[in-house]
Amino acid sequence: MGRTVSTSHIERKEELVSERWLHDYTVLALRVNKALAQRAPYAPVEEYQPSEWEEQVLYEPVHPADLLLRDVQELQETLPLQPFDPQRAAYLTKQLRALETVSRRLRGEHFSLQEQARRCYDLEIAWLPESLFEQAYALYDEALPGRGSLASRLRDYQESSTVPPEKAHLLPTFFQQALTEALLRTQALVPLPADAHTEIQTLVDRPARAMARYLGNHRSRIYLNPAVPFPLSDLFYVLCHEGYPGHLAEFVLKDEWLIQQRGYLEERVLLPCSPRDVISEGLALLAQEMLFAPGEAQAWLAEHIYPAAGIRPDHSDLTKIHQARDLLFGISCNAAWLLGEGRTPAEVLDYLMRYALLSEGAARRELASLQRPFHEATIFTYFHGRRLLEPLLQGPQRKARLRQFLTEQTAPSDL
């Protein structure tokens, strides 16, 4: 007579199998991040890691790309043996494809821009016709006060709302006020954990004007650089993107719903160049519009921020200005295509200045960003992320959809 095995015993055995696999997956992601940072230094901003596994990787030498690729392939082979539900397994398959692609690039293999977007970001991309950007120019024309060229009106608008140098010390206070408002409005859409806490901290050794970092245990930090000129008309555009209901909201809620409640340990480390980036950046670009109806953000800034900054409100339309700016991310996508085709930096610089309405200095900064090794296709996550999510975050289902994207594993091809 055969021995009877209890259901709880089987479940515990499956749990141990998957936990070992998740350990190997997470450690591999940390090792790939470490190897990538050595070859293409960059500063990951919205990332936190499990300390006990991080230490394992922190003090070991950088693993060679061949070994990283072997480990990815082993995880790909053993993934079907794990007791994951089909949706989670499909998501992890796409994440592993991204890890495989980065590992193969680290050992010298070449992928076209289209292949990088497909393999790393789960995106199908193509050249965007310049006629598409006429929509952005029309939005700018309607939204920007004054006369003259759109480029000059845009510069005047940005300069008129930029914090004066003598008031730069007030920027952390302005961010804190806006953060409090954004949290209240986010809470009305998607309940946040009661102990969620975000602090504002200045940081002057980075060129970025603001960035966010999730610290774990529902704690977050938003860094801002008072030394970088900051147009206060962008206050919610930046804060909602980096914070709530953007990147930090996603980290806090996925920590609570996926890691703490469901044991999805794979969410505790960000992969370099992965499908999740598309959903994250699409949400972040739409974050301000999720909280404020047209005109509301402008009215709030005029009442609570501009007087203390000594800024006079104008008749610009922030919603249309930011929609136009997001559309023009498509120009940078095309610039990435041009670089991929072997066009000279001078040609690409001219393209950015002509179509994206950028000054030469801003165009050079954008060009440098597009030329970062291993991140050539990153710009596509912004433009395509917004276009993918925007129609889904409209109408009566917007709250439910927002909650889905903030608390579930979603890849672009799922949509």
Side-chain angles (χ1 to χ4, degrees), residues 72-130:
V72 174
Q73 291 169 339
E74 286 183 2
L75 287 170
Q76 289 173 321
E77 291 172 3
T78 54
L79 175 58
L81 305 177
Q82 308 308 310
F84 300 141
D85 65 67
Q87 182 178 353
R88 185 182 182 189
Y91 181 82
L92 285 166
T93 297
K94 293 164 187 171
Q95 297 287 92
L96 284 171
R97 183 175 61 177
L99 270 176
E100 178 201 351
T101 305
V102 173
S103 299
R104 289 171 63 180
R105 291 197 65 199
L106 282 167
R107 72 176 205 161
E109 294 187 45
H110 174 77
F111 293 90
S112 70
L113 198 63
Q114 200 164 19
E115 288 173 321
Q116 290 181 53
R118 180 183 302 117
R119 295 179 61 88
C120 288
Y121 298 115
D122 197 31
L123 282 176
E124 296 295 335
I125 60 172
W127 176 269
L128 300 166
E130 280 81 9

Side-chain angles (χ1 to χ4, degrees), residues 50-289:
S51 59
E52 67 274 18
W53 296 345
E54 180 187 17
E55 285 197 12
Q56 177 181 340
V57 176
L58 185 61
Y59 298 109
E60 66 185 21
V62 173
H63 280 223
D66 285 341
L67 183 56
L68 295 174
L69 180 59
R70 185 205 69 184
D71 291 345
V72 174
Q73 291 169 339
E74 286 183 2
L75 287 170
Q76 289 173 321
E77 291 172 3
T78 54
L79 175 58
L81 305 177
Q82 308 308 310
F84 300 141
D85 65 67
Q87 182 178 353
R88 185 182 182 189
Y91 181 82
L92 285 166
T93 297
K94 293 164 187 171
Q95 297 287 92
L96 284 171
R97 183 175 61 177
L99 270 176
E100 178 201 351
T101 305
V102 173
S103 299
R104 289 171 63 180
R105 291 197 65 199
L106 282 167
R107 72 176 205 161
E109 294 187 45
H110 174 77
F111 293 90
S112 70
L113 198 63
Q114 200 164 19
E115 288 173 321
Q116 290 181 53
R118 180 183 302 117
R119 295 179 61 88
C120 288
Y121 298 115
D122 197 31
L123 282 176
E124 296 295 335
I125 60 172
W127 176 269
L128 300 166
E130 280 81 9
S131 58
L132 175 67
F133 309 124
E134 295 294 335
Q135 300 172 38
Y137 305 145
L139 286 168
Y140 272 145
D141 194 39
E142 294 170 9
L144 291 169
R147 296 181 179 181
S149 70
L150 288 181
S152 64
R153 287 159 63 189
L154 183 58
R155 283 194 295 272
D156 290 344
Y157 150 78
Q158 291 171 333
E159 289 173 3
S160 69
S161 69
T162 295
V163 181
E166 66 274 14
K167 303 269 189 178
H169 66 282
L170 294 174
L171 197 55
T173 302
F174 296 152
F175 261 77
Q176 187 61 60
Q177 288 178 261
L179 174 63
T180 300
E181 183 68 16
L183 282 167
L184 285 172
R185 290 172 179 256
T186 300
Q187 192 79 271
L189 290 174
V190 184
L192 298 167
D195 61 346
H197 175 73
T198 302
E199 62 183 31
I200 307 293
Q201 185 171 316
T202 57
L203 183 70
V204 295
D205 63 347
R206 301 285 176 87
R209 59 181 181 177
M211 61 185 190
R213 184 174 179 86
Y214 185 56
L215 306 173
N217 297 318
H218 304 156
R219 297 178 303 110
S220 310
R221 186 175 295 145
I222 294 177
Y223 297 98
L224 58 98
N225 188 347
V228 176
F230 192 96
L232 286 174
S233 53
D234 285 347
L235 185 56
F236 280 116
Y237 181 77
V238 172
L239 188 130
C240 293
H241 182 119
E242 299 292 345
Y244 298 86
H247 292 321
L248 292 182
E250 182 184 2
F251 275 92
V252 168
L253 289 167
K254 285 184 175 174
D255 186 358
E256 174 67 22
W257 288 89
L258 292 180
I259 301 172
Q260 303 300 328
Q261 295 191 22
R262 301 180 69 182
Y264 281 30
L265 302 182
E266 68 270 24
E267 291 293 324
R268 297 188 68 178
V269 60
L270 281 183
L271 300 192
C273 315
S274 76
R276 173 173 167 166
D277 295 348
V278 181
I279 306 302
S280 294
E281 296 303 344
L283 275 174
L285 287 178
L286 289 161
Q288 179 183 241
E289 294 174 40

Side-chain angles (χ1 to χ4, degrees), residues 133 135-141 143 237 289 318-330 386:
F133 309 124
Q135 300 172 38
Y137 305 145
L139 286 168
Y140 272 145
D141 194 39
Y237 181 77
E289 294 174 40
L318 293 190
T319 301
K320 289 181 179 179
I321 288 170
H322 293 141
Q323 287 173 344
R325 181 183 300 173
D326 291 353
L327 261 175
L328 292 184
F329 275 121
R386 174 168 179 133

Side-chain angles (χ1 to χ4, degrees), residues 87 90-91 94 121-124 254 275-283 286 381 384-393 400-406 408-415:
Q87 182 178 353
Y91 181 82
K94 293 164 187 171
Y121 298 115
D122 197 31
L123 282 176
E124 296 295 335
K254 285 184 175 174
R276 173 173 167 166
D277 295 348
V278 181
I279 306 302
S280 294
E281 296 303 344
L283 275 174
L286 289 161
T381 65
H384 290 280
R386 174 168 179 133
R387 294 194 86 188
L388 191 64
L389 268 59
E390 187 171 14
L392 302 174
L393 292 173
R401 283 287 195 174
L402 177 64
R403 180 168 180 157
Q404 173 193 341
F405 294 137
L406 288 172
E408 297 180 13
Q409 292 178 324
T410 309
S413 59
D414 297 336
L415 306 178

